[in-house]
Amino acid sequence: MLKKVLRGTGVAIVTPFKEDESIDHDALERLIEHIITGGAEYIVSLGTTGETPVLSSGEKKDIIHFTAKTIRGRVPMVVGCGGNHTRSVVDELRSLPLEDAVAVLSASPYYNKPSQEGIYRHYVEVAAASPVPVILYNVPGRTGRNMTAATTLRLAEEKNIAGIKEASGDMMQVMDILKSAPEDFLVVSGDDALALPQLACGMDGVISVAANAYPNAFSDMVRLSLQHRFSEAKKLNDILIEAYNLMFAENNPAGVKAFLESMNIIRNILRLPGVPVAQNLREAIHQYVNEWK
């Protein structure tokens, strides 16, 4: 059951680039090792944090192969595959090397602003084409359209749809989903800063950005929460709150890439239209990282 396999912390990993903006495989390997040794339960490759809109089809396949090879079966791997053209998503699903993936994470269609019926029918087509279970991803701050609790619960009954990464930031919506979702339906947070209260409501874990930089502390916070040891979890979360504020002050993944640069794990390079954070924020991040040590 996917709900058991992916319980805890998943990390939506960034895509490191070299100065010429080619994929930095050495840095990607360092990042994966940093996350696994830090205790995260699984890795999400090619999530939106990985700057997937600016990656070519060939680069995506290369990243999946390299990530699976580096993981070596030590933790599960989820692969991101989504978009706002249903047929293109279906075609991509059929072309990606998903033999090492336990699931696909698919973001709700962006820009088009489809109706709830359009979102439902999009995911039914995606699920039918996917060789592995599909995790829905609701992130209205990026897509421009919220997927309601009613639509999520309707999709939860569909074959091959196994869960949701819920990042609406709406706690009532979260509770509505948790109240009525099937017992085997995975519900994880997509909001690092809201993870603690959402875990208290009954979520199964988090797909995190912050855990790229702090896999140990963040994963421990999630595990403590899942054990209902919330006072201990809060102490860790309190330490991480400033990191959340700095990391998401301008843009994701620009913030987390600045953190990882300060940790000497990757270069601080993004592909346009993404750009590094402003110098004053970069300095504040660097100071935070040094003080953490």
Side-chain angles (χ1 to χ4, degrees), residues 243-286:
Y244 304 150
N245 288 331
L246 291 169
M247 204 170 287
F248 300 105
E250 285 189 10
N251 170 267
N252 180 47
V256 69
K257 280 197 163 183
F259 270 83
L260 292 169
E261 177 203 36
S262 291
M263 295 173 172
N264 297 313
I265 296 172
I266 70 168
R267 295 176 175 89
N268 189 20
I269 298 169
L270 294 88
R271 287 182 179 174
L272 287 170
V275 295
V277 297
Q279 185 61 31
N280 62 335
L281 179 56
R282 189 173 178 178
E283 290 170 359
I285 289 169
H286 187 67

Side-chain angles (χ1 to χ4, degrees), residues 3-244:
K3 185 167 180 171
K4 293 182 178 178
V5 173
L6 300 182
R7 184 173 174 83
T9 300
V11 185
I13 59 174
V14 304
T15 299
F17 297 120
K18 298 179 182 178
E19 296 292 342
D20 63 1
E21 295 190 6
S22 62
I23 308 297
D24 189 339
H25 293 88
D26 290 340
L28 181 55
E29 182 176 6
R30 284 195 298 274
L31 177 62
I32 291 168
E33 292 299 330
H34 171 68
I35 290 166
I36 292 176
T37 57
E41 275 75 23
Y42 61 101
I43 283 174
V44 180
S45 180
L46 299 181
T48 48
T49 296
E51 295 177 72
T52 47
V54 297
L55 297 175
S56 70
S57 176
E59 287 173 329
K60 290 178 182 179
K61 293 173 184 176
D62 171 65
I63 289 169
I64 294 171
H65 280 304
F66 185 85
T67 300
K69 180 181 176 182
T70 304
I71 290 174
R72 302 193 307 279
R74 289 175 289 171
V75 296
M77 179 178 73
V78 174
V79 172
C81 181
N84 65 343
H85 182 193
T86 307
R87 289 185 183 178
S88 294
V89 176
V90 166
D91 289 343
E92 185 171 44
L93 275 170
R94 290 171 175 161
S95 70
L96 289 176
L98 297 175
E99 56 271 12
D100 293 307
V102 298
V104 160
L105 176 67
S106 192
S108 184
Y110 58 89
Y111 185 79
N112 306 38
K113 290 192 173 182
S115 66
Q116 295 301 307
E117 181 65 20
I119 293 171
Y120 170 79
R121 290 171 62 178
H122 167 85
Y123 275 122
V124 168
E125 293 289 328
V126 169
S130 179
V132 294
V134 172
I135 300 171
L136 314 171
Y137 181 16
N138 182 38
V139 56
R142 285 183 175 262
T143 64
R145 178 70 79 199
N146 179 50
M147 180 165 60
T148 65
T151 299
T152 298
L153 294 169
R154 186 182 176 196
L155 285 164
E157 300 295 336
E158 291 292 324
K159 184 179 180 180
N160 211 34
I161 294 179
I164 184 169
K165 176 183 177 182
E166 169 58 41
S168 67
D170 184 335
M171 291 297 290
M172 283 300 298
Q173 179 161 303
V174 166
M175 290 187 288
D176 282 341
I177 293 168
L178 290 167
K179 179 183 71 171
S180 303
E183 188 176 345
D184 62 350
F185 190 70
L186 177 79
V187 183
V188 300
S189 174
D191 288 306
D192 287 334
L194 293 178
L196 180 59
Q198 290 178 341
L199 288 161
C201 289
M203 282 194 171
D204 300 301
V206 189
I207 293 179
S208 171
V209 174
N212 276 276
Y214 296 108
N216 193 305
F218 193 90
S219 299
D220 281 349
M221 183 273 290
V222 173
R223 279 189 288 271
L224 288 166
S225 297
L226 291 172
Q227 295 166 16
H228 303 287
R229 296 162 62 183
F230 293 110
S231 61
E232 295 168 80
K234 182 180 181 297
K235 290 176 183 178
L236 283 175
N237 196 63
D238 286 347
I239 296 169
L240 288 164
I241 286 173
E242 186 179 355
Y244 304 150

